[in-house]
């Protein structure tokens, strides 16, 4: 099924789906489901505002408020390759509320081994350092230089600020389930951001 916001503070770009382990060679790290990301060049489905084959996870319009910066520390990954390892490139972005621009502040490339088995492949834990005080991440996976479908479970996020004031600030945003249409990295981001700035003001 398509993924909306699994948690109402985060927005996932198009290309993500939720599926059971019966639908893939990999098994979840925990629970009975995980996410799959299908690159746009494989699905032949363009993602408005997102670079081709790129996954985007962000706090969406909440980036305009300083209480929504987050830390990203860990995720379990697997990819659709039976030979070459997959290279995952993660980029962390920070929204500058004074300049009203998004800047890449950190990056990490991690190698995830291929799985030769037909079933019950295990996801590989990947840890991150320096992905603190950010407002979005992008993910791109390739094997032998080509985009691949990949799976993930147990994304680990935490709020950068966890003071009482920050909690009160976050509590003012109503709970909601939104479609995966928000992006802060593409060509349409500026127009979307300006309209949201008008709303928030």
């Amino acid at each position: 099924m398509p993924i909306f916001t699994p948690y109402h503070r985060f927005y996932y770009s198009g290309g993500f789906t939720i599926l059971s382990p019966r639908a893939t060679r990999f098994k979840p790290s925990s629970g009975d489901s995980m996410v799959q990301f299908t690159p746009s060049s494989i699905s032949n489905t363009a993602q408005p505002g997102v670079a081709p084959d790129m996954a985007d996870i962000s706090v969406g319009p909440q980036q305009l408020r300083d209480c929504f910066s987050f830390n990203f520390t860990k995720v379990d990954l697997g990819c659709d390759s039976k030979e070459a390892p997959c290279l995952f490139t993660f980029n962390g972005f920070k929204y500058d509320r004074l300049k009203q621009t998004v800047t890449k502040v950190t990056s990490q490339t991690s190698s995830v081994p291929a799985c030769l088995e037909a079933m019950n492949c295990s996801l590989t834990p990947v840890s991150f350092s320096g992905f603190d005080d950010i407002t979005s991440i992008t993910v791109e996976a390739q094997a032998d230089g080509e985009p691949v479908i990949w799976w993930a479970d147990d994304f680990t996020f935490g709020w950068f600020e966890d003071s009482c004031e920050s909690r009160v600030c976050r509590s003012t945003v109503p709970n909601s389930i939104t479609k995966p249409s928000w992006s802060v990295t593409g060509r349409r981001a500026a127009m979307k951001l300006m309209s949201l700035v008008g709303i928030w003001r």
Side-chain angles (χ1 to χ4, degrees):
M1 58 181 288
I3 187 171
F4 296 108
T5 46
Y7 177 58
H8 60 269
R9 300 295 189 257
F10 284 87
Y11 291 67
Y12 285 59
S13 63
F16 281 103
T17 51
I18 301 175
L19 71 167
S20 71
R22 295 185 299 275
T24 176
R25 301 187 290 127
F26 285 85
K27 56 185 179 182
S29 304
S30 61
D32 57 1
S33 61
M34 57 186 165
V35 298
Q36 173 180 302
F37 182 80
T38 304
S40 55
S41 63
I42 295 177
S43 65
N44 293 319
T45 303
Q47 302 176 51
V50 180
D53 301 325
M54 194 80 70
D56 184 290
I57 302 173
S58 77
V59 291
Q62 274 70 260
Q63 69 178 0
L64 303 177
R65 311 179 76 174
D66 56 10
C67 60
F68 281 96
S69 294
F70 64 89
N71 304 327
F72 174 49
T73 55
K74 180 182 172 296
V75 65
D76 296 341
L77 297 168
C79 69
D80 192 19
S81 176
K82 293 185 177 181
E83 297 180 0
C86 290
L87 291 180
F88 282 82
T89 301
F90 288 79
N91 295 307
F93 295 84
K94 170 74 173 178
Y95 178 69
D96 188 319
R97 296 169 184 88
L98 294 177
K99 297 180 180 178
Q100 296 186 1
T101 59
V102 177
T103 304
K104 184 169 75 172
V105 294
T106 188
S107 182
Q108 177 176 315
T109 299
S110 300
S111 179
V112 172
C115 180
L116 304 178
E117 305 301 324
M119 292 294 292
N120 294 320
C121 293
S122 296
L123 299 173
T124 300
V126 176
S127 297
F128 296 85
S129 177
F131 281 71
D132 302 323
D133 192 16
I134 56 177
T135 51
S136 67
I137 60 172
T138 61
V139 190
E140 185 177 25
Q142 294 185 339
D144 276 337
E146 297 295 328
V148 291
I149 296 171
W150 53 272
W151 296 274
D153 199 6
D154 290 343
F155 281 96
T156 304
F157 299 105
W159 296 121
F160 179 69
E161 293 285 352
D162 203 25
S163 63
C164 289
E165 292 80 5
S166 295
R167 293 180 212 175
V168 170
C169 171
R170 289 191 289 271
S171 71
T172 61
V173 177
N175 297 346
S176 63
I177 298 177
T178 56
K179 294 182 179 180
S181 60
W182 172 268
S183 168
V184 296
T185 58
R187 294 180 179 179
R188 300 186 183 181
M191 293 177 60
K192 189 167 225 178
L193 180 58
M194 293 310 295
S195 65
L196 285 164
V197 168
I199 293 173
W200 282 105
R201 286 178 181 171

